[in-house]
Amino acid sequence: MRFFLDSANVAEIEEAWEGGLIAGVTTNPSLVAKEGKDFHALLKVIAGIVDGPISAEVLDTTAEGMVIEARVLARVSPNIVVKLPVTAEGLKAARTLSRDKPPIATNVTLVFTPMQALLAARAGAAYVSPFVGRLDDIGQDGLQLVGDICRIFEQHEVDCRVIAASIRHPVHALQAALLGAHFATVPFAVLRQLLKHPLTDAGIERFLADWRSSGLSH
Ligand code: E4P
């Protein structure tokens, strides 16, 4: 499993990318709205930092409108992946974009059932994003969804990557990795939590203190 940063914040993206923590970025309209910057200009800045997939979501709700938006977004940078909702219109757009020459990679988002994921993959999506946290929020098992999708894709040799999304804490990320998700897209705070352990910090302190008190030179 690789990590994407689920953020549209340039400082966070820069830190995570330069720190070697992420393979790409996912954004959504809510994350972009929080930044208050022009969408395409922001995507250009992100593409100048990140040399991996950058998911950018369409706003139109018709297949025709989504395809137009997607083609414009794809022109921003070759590593843009167009995010489409898992609706009939969204899948129609995914199918069209997968047949573009060259094809435009899509990430079908807001996936809440295994069959939505399978249909999206069959329509030509390169990625599907099951939302773990939002399912947990309504008392369902978000991680089970990730596991089910991974099993189905493996069993039927479906050529589509699974992005565990709506990750709220480190255990979500750990379980997604164990279940076989290809990617987890995580907020910056969770990414930091994944790296941190108090015994690591204490271990560094102890090594340095022992070295200092030995009087040895470096
Ligand atoms: C996925 O690509 C979405 O941007 C994201 O993971 C949604 O997470 P949320 O449920 O925390 O908003």
Side-chain angles (χ1 to χ4, degrees):
M1 187 178 84
R2 289 162 197 260
F3 296 99
F4 288 153
L5 185 67
D6 200 23
S7 172
N9 182 277
V10 172
E12 290 180 356
I13 291 168
E14 214 155 30
E15 194 175 328
W17 179 258
E18 297 301 331
L21 303 178
I22 56 165
V25 168
T26 58
T27 67
N28 66 39
S30 308
L31 292 170
V32 173
K34 235 171 43 184
E35 300 305 310
K37 293 180 181 154
D38 176 77
F39 184 29
H40 286 203
L42 181 59
L43 285 178
K44 269 205 181 95
V45 174
I46 296 172
I49 301 167
V50 174
D51 180 22
I54 300 165
S55 287
E57 195 155 340
V58 297
L59 294 166
D60 208 292
T61 53
T62 66
E64 293 70 22
M66 289 181 201
V67 167
I68 292 167
E69 256 188 79
R71 288 177 180 152
V72 175
L73 285 169
R75 277 201 292 274
V76 171
S77 177
N79 50 340
I80 294 289
V81 173
V82 176
K83 237 170 152 181
L84 304 166
V86 66
T87 58
E89 293 296 299
L91 298 199
K92 196 171 163 190
R95 179 179 184 276
T96 302
L97 294 166
S98 72
R99 288 161 182 230
D100 269 14
K101 293 200 182 343
I104 293 177
T106 57
N107 168 3
V108 171
T109 189
L110 291 164
V111 167
F112 293 101
T113 72
M115 290 302 103
Q116 284 181 321
L118 185 56
L119 286 169
R122 293 307 189 199
Y127 304 87
V128 289
S129 291
F131 276 36
V132 176
R134 292 194 197 184
L135 264 185
D136 288 1
D137 290 346
I138 61 160
Q140 293 185 25
D141 189 344
L143 286 165
Q144 163 133 30
L145 171 64
V146 172
D148 287 349
I149 296 171
C150 290
R151 260 183 60 205
I152 291 167
F153 282 12
E154 204 185 321
Q155 208 164 338
H156 297 276
E157 296 177 1
V158 177
D159 185 20
C160 179
R161 313 275 98 186
V162 179
I163 306 174
S166 188
I167 296 291
R168 301 278 165 77
H169 50 72
V171 179
H172 273 161
L174 167 65
Q175 291 299 329
L178 290 169
L179 290 164
H182 304 96
F183 298 91
T185 188
V186 299
F188 191 65
V190 175
L191 196 62
R192 275 194 157 146
Q193 281 180 294
L194 290 175
L195 186 60
K196 273 286 189 193
H197 196 283
L199 291 181
T200 306
D201 296 338
I204 293 168
E205 274 306 307
R206 168 122 39 106
F207 286 151
L208 292 178
D210 288 348
W211 185 267
R212 274 194 302 269
S213 62
S214 74
L216 288 167
S217 58
H218 194 237

